């Protein structure tokens, strides 16, 4: 009996694996096509100054406008890009898209002065051709690098510290800024903050969403104080209500993002937001 049972379990396991890898391959192939067919779109989430209430920039977040399944979020498809060239195709696509958008906004409003943040995966950052390929795209698009901010998760920066510092400096020389994304979920070592020439620290939304639970109030205060020691600006992500915003303000947090101000919005909605702002001045 035991033997039979074991065999069944094996079959079950095997079939499930099979199904999972089939599903994986299906999505992967579909995504490759989707990139070619330009089915990926970007939503833009405003970054807001806590002091002035002004929108200082946007974070570009990728979505897949799937012809059958509707709008898909990164959680549903980004994982199939890991370890293969889709991660590069996708990131080049996103950067080009953002550069063109900056150019379009800049053309419409010559005084346009928002930063656009792009998420860079660890895989992309740690690729030896990272600097070259990104520089090439920025040049080809003719976009001023001062409009760009690269968001990188801290763990991705630690693989080869010397190279990381080198890469960051190369981009900072042309005006790109760097944000450490999801801060607090990785190593979060003081030593890294001391050595990495990043400009901005983004407190992970897990601390902000449940700000008034556990020790999060203290942790968030501590992160902001620590950032100040290193002259870093601080962004809080996942701000969903006024009470949280008030607390962040009292701690000296510089910027915030979150549903309280705005969810990530379409290009048209972002353009309308800029339009309204420009007609006020
Ligand atoms: P992230 O960079 O940490 O982005 C923040 C995520 O929090 C976004 O989810 C955003 O929609 C969500 N968010 C913002 N405000 C709130 C809020 O008030 N409440 C809640 N509950 N959530 C909020 P999204 O768009 O699903 O993106 C998930 C992750 O996918 C991103 O995390 C980023 O790591 C990755 N990602 C997105 N776009 C790209 C891309 O173009 N390239 C790469 N490599 N990764 C990307
Ligand atoms: Mg981000
Ligand atoms: Mg984040
Ligand atoms: Mg995240």
């Amino acid at each position: 009996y035991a033997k039979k049972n074991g065999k069944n379990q094996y079959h079950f396991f095997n079939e499930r694996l099979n199904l999972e890898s089939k599903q994986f391959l299906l999505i992967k192939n579909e995504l490759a096509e989707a990139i070619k067919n330009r089915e990926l779109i970007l939503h833009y989430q405003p970054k807001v100054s806590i002091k002035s209430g002004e929108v200082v920039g946007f974070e570009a977040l990728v979505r897949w406008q799937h012809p059958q399944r509707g709008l898909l979020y990164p959680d549903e498809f980004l994982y199939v890009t890991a370890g293969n060239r889709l991660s590069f195709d996708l990131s080049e696509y996103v950067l080009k898209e953002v550069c063109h958008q900056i150019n379009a906004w800049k053309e419409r409003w010559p005084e346009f002065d928002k930063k656009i943040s792009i998420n860079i995966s660890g895989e992309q950052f740690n690729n030896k051709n990272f600097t070259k390929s990104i520089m090439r795209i920025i040049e080809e698009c003719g976009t001023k690098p001062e409009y760009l901010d690269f968001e990188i998760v801290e763990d991705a920066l630690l693989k080869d510290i010397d190279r990381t510092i080198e890469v960051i400096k190369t981009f900072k020389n042309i005006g790109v800024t760097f944000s450490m994304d999801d801060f607090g979920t990785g190593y979060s070592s003081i030593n890294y903050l001391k050595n990495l020439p990043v400009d901005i620290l983004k407190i992970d939304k897990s601390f902000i969403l449940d700000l008034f639970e556990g020790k999060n109030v203290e942790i968030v205060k501590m992160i902001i104080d620590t950032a100040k020691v290193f002259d870093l600006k601080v962004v809080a992500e996942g701000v969903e209500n006024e009470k949280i915003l008030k607390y962040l303000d009292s701690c000296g947090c510089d910027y915030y993002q979150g549903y309280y101000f705005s969810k990530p919005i379409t290009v048209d909605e972002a353009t309308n937001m800029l339009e309204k702002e420009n007609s006020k001045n």
Side-chain angles (χ1 to χ4, degrees):
Y1 178 77
K3 201 171 170 191
K4 194 175 155 216
N5 192 34
K7 204 174 167 197
N8 278 343
Q9 250 173 345
Y10 174 76
H11 268 285
F12 174 72
F13 186 62
N14 220 14
E15 256 159 45
R16 211 186 62 179
L17 250 182
N18 233 332
L19 203 72
E20 267 171 22
S21 58
K22 270 189 193 142
Q23 178 79 357
F24 184 94
L25 279 182
L26 192 78
I27 297 178
K28 195 179 146 193
N29 292 335
E30 262 193 307
L31 183 61
E33 284 304 306
I35 295 174
K36 283 195 204 116
N37 299 334
R38 313 194 58 77
E39 284 170 20
L40 298 188
I41 59 165
L42 296 179
H43 279 179
Y44 290 87
Q45 187 177 39
K47 278 191 194 174
V48 186
S49 158
I50 294 183
K51 277 268 115 52
S52 71
E54 266 177 284
V55 173
V56 295
F58 293 93
E59 176 178 5
L61 295 154
V62 71
R63 277 94 181 83
W64 179 359
Q65 190 64 66
H66 194 286
Q68 283 90 39
R69 293 198 284 150
L71 193 66
L72 303 182
Y73 287 78
D75 290 354
E76 300 169 271
F77 63 88
L78 267 190
Y79 68 97
V80 303
T81 68
N84 62 71
R85 67 156 298 134
L86 278 187
S87 62
F88 304 102
D89 296 344
L90 184 134
S91 53
E92 291 206 342
Y93 181 101
V94 169
L95 178 61
K96 281 181 193 162
E97 203 64 23
V98 164
C99 285
H100 290 143
Q101 195 53 56
I102 292 170
N103 294 350
W105 281 332
K106 182 82 184 146
E107 194 167 310
R108 185 150 172 183
W109 299 288
E111 65 283 1
F112 175 80
D113 64 351
K114 316 286 179 201
K115 276 257 185 192
I116 312 297
S117 300
I118 297 178
N119 290 285
I120 308 276
S121 70
E123 187 177 354
Q124 187 190 1
F125 185 84
N126 287 313
N127 183 278
K128 64 176 181 357
N129 293 321
F130 176 73
T131 306
K132 215 170 66 191
S133 69
I134 298 289
M135 286 292 187
R136 201 199 67 229
I137 293 173
I138 295 175
E139 251 166 57
E140 279 173 7
C141 293
T143 304
K144 274 216 183 104
E146 297 93 83
Y147 289 105
L148 295 169
D149 173 70
F150 291 162
E151 293 192 5
I152 308 208
V153 291
E154 49 182 322
D155 299 12
L157 301 169
L158 310 179
K159 237 187 134 193
D160 177 349
I161 281 282
D162 293 335
R163 175 188 171 270
T164 294
I165 293 171
E166 192 80 6
V167 172
I168 294 179
K169 280 188 176 158
T170 305
F171 283 102
K172 285 189 68 162
N173 275 338
I174 62 165
V176 177
T177 54
F178 281 80
S179 298
M180 228 191 250
D181 206 352
D182 299 350
F183 189 79
T185 61
Y187 292 100
S188 312
S189 158
I190 303 276
N191 204 32
Y192 300 132
L193 285 185
K194 196 174 118 192
N195 291 311
L196 293 174
V198 296
D199 308 277
I200 300 155
L201 205 149
K202 292 190 78 174
I203 307 175
D204 190 68
K205 64 174 182 290
S206 59
F207 301 105
I208 308 294
L209 290 171
D210 299 325
L211 181 66
F212 298 106
E213 277 165 41
K215 297 263 179 232
N216 285 345
V217 156
E218 289 86 351
I219 292 170
V220 166
K221 174 90 169 72
M222 185 193 68
I223 293 177
I224 295 169
D225 288 343
T226 308
K228 296 294 155 189
V229 171
F230 298 105
D231 281 324
L232 303 175
K233 297 281 183 210
V234 187
V235 185
E237 57 174 33
V239 176
E240 293 190 348
N241 62 54
E242 195 187 3
K243 194 176 168 210
I244 292 173
L245 180 60
K246 286 220 165 107
Y247 178 74
L248 292 166
D249 189 16
S250 76
C251 294
C253 183
D254 301 284
Y255 310 106
Y256 76 102
Q257 278 178 280
Y259 298 171
Y260 179 62
F261 185 85
S262 169
K263 289 196 169 177
I265 52 182
T266 64
V267 173
D268 288 346
E269 290 168 325
T271 304
N272 284 340
M273 188 179 272
L274 293 169
E275 180 75 66
K276 274 197 199 122
E277 190 193 278
N278 274 274
S279 62
K280 262 187 273 171
N281 307 329

